[in-house]
Amino acid sequence: MADSIDQLRVSFVEETRDLINELEDILLSLEVDTVDNETIDLIFRSIHTVKGSGGMLGFEKVLAVTHDLEDIYDKVRAGEMKFSTELKDISLETIDILKTLLATDEKLNEAEKIKFNNICRKIENFEIGSDTGGNSALPDIDGSLCSLPYITYIIQLKPESGSIKDLSHPGLLVHELSFIGNCLAFALSGNQVKVNTYEKVNKGSKWKIILSTNKPVETIEDIFEWVKNELNFEFEKICEGNLLGIEEAKEEILKLDEKVFNMKADDFFPVAEKYSSLLQKEKNTDATQNDETKAGDDASTLGGTINSIRVATDKVDQLMNLVSEMVTLQARLNLIAHESGNEELIAVAEKYGTFSNQLRDNAFTISLVPFGVTITRYKRMVHDLCEQLDKKVEFITEGEDTVLDKKIIERLSDPIMHILRNSIDHGIESTEDRKKANKNLTGKIYMKIFHQSNNVIIKIIDDGRGVNLERTREIAIEKKIITPDQTVSENELLSFLFLPGFSSAKTISNVSGRGVGLDVVKRNISDIRGSIEIHTEQNVGTTFTIKLPLTLSIIDGLQVKIDYRDFIIPLVQVDKIISLTDIIEDTELSQVMKIDGTPVPYFDLRSDFGITSAPPARREVVLVSYENEHIALIVDYVVGENQTVLKPLGKHYKNQDFLSGGTILGDGSVALVIDVNRIVTTFSKK
């Protein structure tokens, strides 16, 4: 679960970075007087997306900085406020702080905290400074809208006699100084000197603070403005420059310890003089640094080292197509090399094949993402829906590390949401009903994701009441899908659930009951060449099985021949190859042969594919597996292993029984890829 959250957070950062970059581009190109409602809606939706996703994933500062800004744009949409230059500026400032929050995982340094608090205050008080919601020219938290050259001060604090009881702890005020620059705060409590310990000293302690800041004097004065009658507050300038920014100078001042309480600004001049060359160098570069601040901020948002890049999916698709073509050419090269008998050419072809395999695996991995990146949204939906329906459900997932194409994952989101809603609303009973049925009061929903050959299988299983087949039949009769005297199988009844407008819900709710859902599920899954089945048992539960054949996949296959035709069997499902003459056919059972003493069903592909030519004298058997089932496929002979680019056959062949795709062999001929899963499934139903 933790890994899924982390992956989702990484995905959020990458996607949000793109989103706010686009938003920044929109804002920069806007003319305030000509902005239209569509653009305002686009800005609002972008901010809303960042806020909602960030809040769900625990980005509290992202949520804080976007919440009130979203409200402002909502008012602009409603015509209660006008879009203005000030709103545009504050939006751009928000984008800057969002970049910092994303780059640092919300772990801000002191300067960044000031910027964050400042922009939050500006947004929160945006309407206060304007009659039209346009003037947000509020002062910064620190009283400055720009950075000045650094100056180092010495500050003395001493509570006035008689005011200690009523005085808030001065350490809290001193702590505020640490937010506007580099600070060494010496506190004298009795005979002990403590440094930068803001609260663990007496209220009546003396303080001497060395502060290097690039904020104006007014900022320092504002911090102590409200306690100036209770504190003796004095400060002097030691030197220009960030003296505490020089580590050696800072160490030298720290060693002064209690001596610092008897020192004034003049006493620090020798230290400043000692490091004057470094201070001068810093002063000369201040102007350049201020000019480059924006560029520096942008660079920092990259997080230093670039660990990942985002690539358009069409470029990944193009890469996969090129690699696929390369695999086909590799097969052609191997064929030519072996036909020529040239040992040097054969060696080159084999070496090329090694690199080709590595590139193939790498490119294929690039196009895949773990399914687990989407699991959290489903868990959240289950949680919220259970709260809404007052049901107790434990949502258990397996196979979150199963990878598949990102586009398929995205298009699966809505279908899986629909299935989970149905499982919770229709499947899982209420607490009272489960108690009456002697079931655990907490229902269970399992989501299992796993690879099978060149397919991805997703099973969603609930332990609810199951589908009421009698009620389903009644509805089918009411809707005139079948006649009262018509006999239909259980599978046919379950298939009616995927028809538009077909619902067994007795009442319409916000969750279900309108007959919209499973028809959309089937259509969306069919669009990615997948299939869905339902299996149910009364009072035991229901299983939705989604099978997704990959639309373009590179697999290792076993090339076989039947007559002069070539076929490919996925190598991962091949257990054994045996000569047919070594096998005894069991005459007592139909289409069963004994392999190693065990009865195994078989398919004679020559017969099943309608090939009528005479078979060769010696034929071979390929033992294949699917889940826990085994089946034997009889072929004419085995050619050998073949790296295969699997391509779909097209919509005209989607209803055929035993083929999952086609591939181009090295000699340019086409071989059909056998769907072992479907053959086994078909046989098991007989």
mmCIF file of all heavy atoms in Angstrom, residues 538-554:
data_model
loop_
_atom_site.group_PDB
_atom_site.id
_atom_site.type_symbol
_atom_site.label_atom_id
_atom_site.label_comp_id
_atom_site.label_asym_id
_atom_site.label_seq_id
_atom_site.Cartn_x
_atom_site.Cartn_y
_atom_site.Cartn_z
ATOM 1 N N GLN A 538 -25.624 -18.107 -5.791
ATOM 2 C CA GLN A 538 -26.560 -17.499 -4.852
ATOM 3 C C GLN A 538 -26.035 -17.577 -3.421
ATOM 4 O O GLN A 538 -25.632 -18.639 -2.948
ATOM 5 C CB GLN A 538 -27.922 -18.196 -4.952
ATOM 6 C CG GLN A 538 -29.078 -17.397 -4.371
ATOM 7 C CD GLN A 538 -29.459 -16.210 -5.264
ATOM 8 O OE1 GLN A 538 -29.243 -16.233 -6.449
ATOM 9 N NE2 GLN A 538 -30.028 -15.183 -4.662
ATOM 10 N N ASN A 539 -26.041 -16.409 -2.750
ATOM 11 C CA ASN A 539 -25.619 -16.266 -1.350
ATOM 12 C C ASN A 539 -24.148 -16.602 -1.112
ATOM 13 O O ASN A 539 -23.713 -16.707 0.037
ATOM 14 C CB ASN A 539 -26.481 -17.124 -0.413
ATOM 15 C CG ASN A 539 -27.932 -16.667 -0.408
ATOM 16 O OD1 ASN A 539 -28.210 -15.471 -0.416
ATOM 17 N ND2 ASN A 539 -28.851 -17.625 -0.416
ATOM 18 N N VAL A 540 -23.378 -16.776 -2.182
ATOM 19 C CA VAL A 540 -21.935 -17.022 -2.050
ATOM 20 C C VAL A 540 -21.137 -15.838 -2.597
ATOM 21 O O VAL A 540 -20.180 -15.376 -1.985
ATOM 22 C CB VAL A 540 -21.524 -18.322 -2.765
ATOM 23 C CG1 VAL A 540 -20.007 -18.485 -2.739
ATOM 24 C CG2 VAL A 540 -22.193 -19.517 -2.102
ATOM 25 N N GLY A 541 -21.566 -15.327 -3.756
ATOM 26 C CA GLY A 541 -20.884 -14.164 -4.305
ATOM 27 C C GLY A 541 -20.848 -14.151 -5.812
ATOM 28 O O GLY A 541 -21.393 -15.039 -6.482
ATOM 29 N N THR A 542 -20.196 -13.118 -6.349
ATOM 30 C CA THR A 542 -20.133 -12.908 -7.795
ATOM 31 C C THR A 542 -18.702 -12.574 -8.191
ATOM 32 O O THR A 542 -17.986 -11.882 -7.464
ATOM 33 C CB THR A 542 -21.050 -11.748 -8.224
ATOM 34 O OG1 THR A 542 -22.388 -12.047 -7.809
ATOM 35 C CG2 THR A 542 -21.027 -11.544 -9.729
ATOM 36 N N THR A 543 -18.290 -13.082 -9.342
ATOM 37 C CA THR A 543 -16.954 -12.809 -9.871
ATOM 38 C C THR A 543 -17.070 -12.193 -11.256
ATOM 39 O O THR A 543 -17.713 -12.758 -12.143
ATOM 40 C CB THR A 543 -16.119 -14.102 -9.958
ATOM 41 O OG1 THR A 543 -15.971 -14.657 -8.655
ATOM 42 C CG2 THR A 543 -14.744 -13.802 -10.537
ATOM 43 N N PHE A 544 -16.466 -11.021 -11.416
ATOM 44 C CA PHE A 544 -16.317 -10.397 -12.727
ATOM 45 C C PHE A 544 -14.896 -10.687 -13.205
ATOM 46 O O PHE A 544 -13.933 -10.394 -12.498
ATOM 47 C CB PHE A 544 -16.520 -8.885 -12.652
ATOM 48 C CG PHE A 544 -17.948 -8.456 -12.407
ATOM 49 C CD1 PHE A 544 -18.459 -8.410 -11.125
ATOM 50 C CD2 PHE A 544 -18.760 -8.099 -13.470
ATOM 51 C CE1 PHE A 544 -19.764 -8.020 -10.895
ATOM 52 C CE2 PHE A 544 -20.072 -7.696 -13.249
ATOM 53 C CZ PHE A 544 -20.574 -7.667 -11.957
ATOM 54 N N THR A 545 -14.772 -11.249 -14.394
ATOM 55 C CA THR A 545 -13.457 -11.562 -14.950
ATOM 56 C C THR A 545 -13.241 -10.758 -16.225
ATOM 57 O O THR A 545 -13.983 -10.910 -17.190
ATOM 58 C CB THR A 545 -13.328 -13.064 -15.251
ATOM 59 O OG1 THR A 545 -13.548 -13.803 -14.047
ATOM 60 C CG2 THR A 545 -11.943 -13.382 -15.776
ATOM 61 N N ILE A 546 -12.237 -9.897 -16.192
ATOM 62 C CA ILE A 546 -11.883 -9.087 -17.360
ATOM 63 C C ILE A 546 -10.622 -9.682 -17.972
ATOM 64 O O ILE A 546 -9.615 -9.876 -17.291
ATOM 65 C CB ILE A 546 -11.632 -7.620 -16.969
ATOM 66 C CG1 ILE A 546 -12.875 -7.017 -16.304
ATOM 67 C CG2 ILE A 546 -11.225 -6.800 -18.178
ATOM 68 C CD1 ILE A 546 -12.646 -5.640 -15.723
ATOM 69 N N LYS A 547 -10.679 -9.966 -19.237
ATOM 70 C CA LYS A 547 -9.527 -10.509 -19.953
ATOM 71 C C LYS A 547 -9.106 -9.512 -21.020
ATOM 72 O O LYS A 547 -9.919 -9.088 -21.842
ATOM 73 C CB LYS A 547 -9.888 -11.849 -20.594
ATOM 74 C CG LYS A 547 -8.755 -12.477 -21.397
ATOM 75 C CD LYS A 547 -9.224 -13.772 -22.040
ATOM 76 C CE LYS A 547 -8.178 -14.346 -22.966
ATOM 77 N NZ LYS A 547 -8.653 -15.538 -23.681
ATOM 78 N N LEU A 548 -7.853 -9.132 -20.981
ATOM 79 C CA LEU A 548 -7.348 -8.095 -21.884
ATOM 80 C C LEU A 548 -6.205 -8.635 -22.727
ATOM 81 O O LEU A 548 -5.074 -8.746 -22.250
ATOM 82 C CB LEU A 548 -6.859 -6.883 -21.077
ATOM 83 C CG LEU A 548 -7.902 -6.203 -20.190
ATOM 84 C CD1 LEU A 548 -7.219 -5.254 -19.233
ATOM 85 C CD2 LEU A 548 -8.918 -5.471 -21.035
ATOM 86 N N PRO A 549 -6.461 -8.999 -23.978
ATOM 87 C CA PRO A 549 -5.356 -9.370 -24.861
ATOM 88 C C PRO A 549 -4.585 -8.107 -25.259
ATOM 89 O O PRO A 549 -5.178 -7.066 -25.527
ATOM 90 C CB PRO A 549 -6.066 -9.995 -26.074
ATOM 91 C CG PRO A 549 -7.416 -9.370 -26.071
ATOM 92 C CD PRO A 549 -7.756 -9.084 -24.645
ATOM 93 N N LEU A 550 -3.253 -8.199 -25.249
ATOM 94 C CA LEU A 550 -2.457 -7.032 -25.624
ATOM 95 C C LEU A 550 -2.625 -6.763 -27.120
ATOM 96 O O LEU A 550 -2.522 -7.663 -27.942
ATOM 97 C CB LEU A 550 -0.981 -7.266 -25.294
ATOM 98 C CG LEU A 550 -0.680 -7.534 -23.812
ATOM 99 C CD1 LEU A 550 0.807 -7.750 -23.608
ATOM 100 C CD2 LEU A 550 -1.170 -6.395 -22.949
ATOM 101 N N THR A 551 -2.864 -5.512 -27.453
ATOM 102 C CA THR A 551 -3.091 -5.174 -28.863
ATOM 103 C C THR A 551 -1.811 -5.231 -29.681
ATOM 104 O O THR A 551 -1.841 -5.502 -30.860
ATOM 105 C CB THR A 551 -3.692 -3.763 -28.971
ATOM 106 O OG1 THR A 551 -2.833 -2.838 -28.307
ATOM 107 C CG2 THR A 551 -5.068 -3.727 -28.323
ATOM 108 N N LEU A 552 -0.670 -4.993 -29.037
ATOM 109 C CA LEU A 552 0.618 -5.105 -29.731
ATOM 110 C C LEU A 552 1.626 -5.587 -28.709
ATOM 111 O O LEU A 552 1.894 -4.923 -27.724
ATOM 112 C CB LEU A 552 1.056 -3.765 -30.314
ATOM 113 C CG LEU A 552 2.413 -3.769 -31.012
ATOM 114 C CD1 LEU A 552 2.404 -4.744 -32.180
ATOM 115 C CD2 LEU A 552 2.782 -2.382 -31.482
ATOM 116 N N SER A 553 2.163 -6.755 -28.924
ATOM 117 C CA SER A 553 3.041 -7.347 -27.923
ATOM 118 C C SER A 553 4.136 -8.142 -28.613
ATOM 119 O O SER A 553 3.928 -8.702 -29.681
ATOM 120 C CB SER A 553 2.217 -8.262 -27.011
ATOM 121 O OG SER A 553 3.036 -9.049 -26.211
ATOM 122 N N ILE A 554 5.298 -8.155 -27.997
ATOM 123 C CA ILE A 554 6.396 -8.966 -28.507
ATOM 124 C C ILE A 554 6.563 -10.145 -27.556
ATOM 125 O O ILE A 554 6.825 -9.951 -26.374
ATOM 126 C CB ILE A 554 7.699 -8.152 -28.585
ATOM 127 C CG1 ILE A 554 7.490 -6.908 -29.444
ATOM 128 C CG2 ILE A 554 8.825 -8.995 -29.145
ATOM 129 C CD1 ILE A 554 8.651 -5.951 -29.436
#
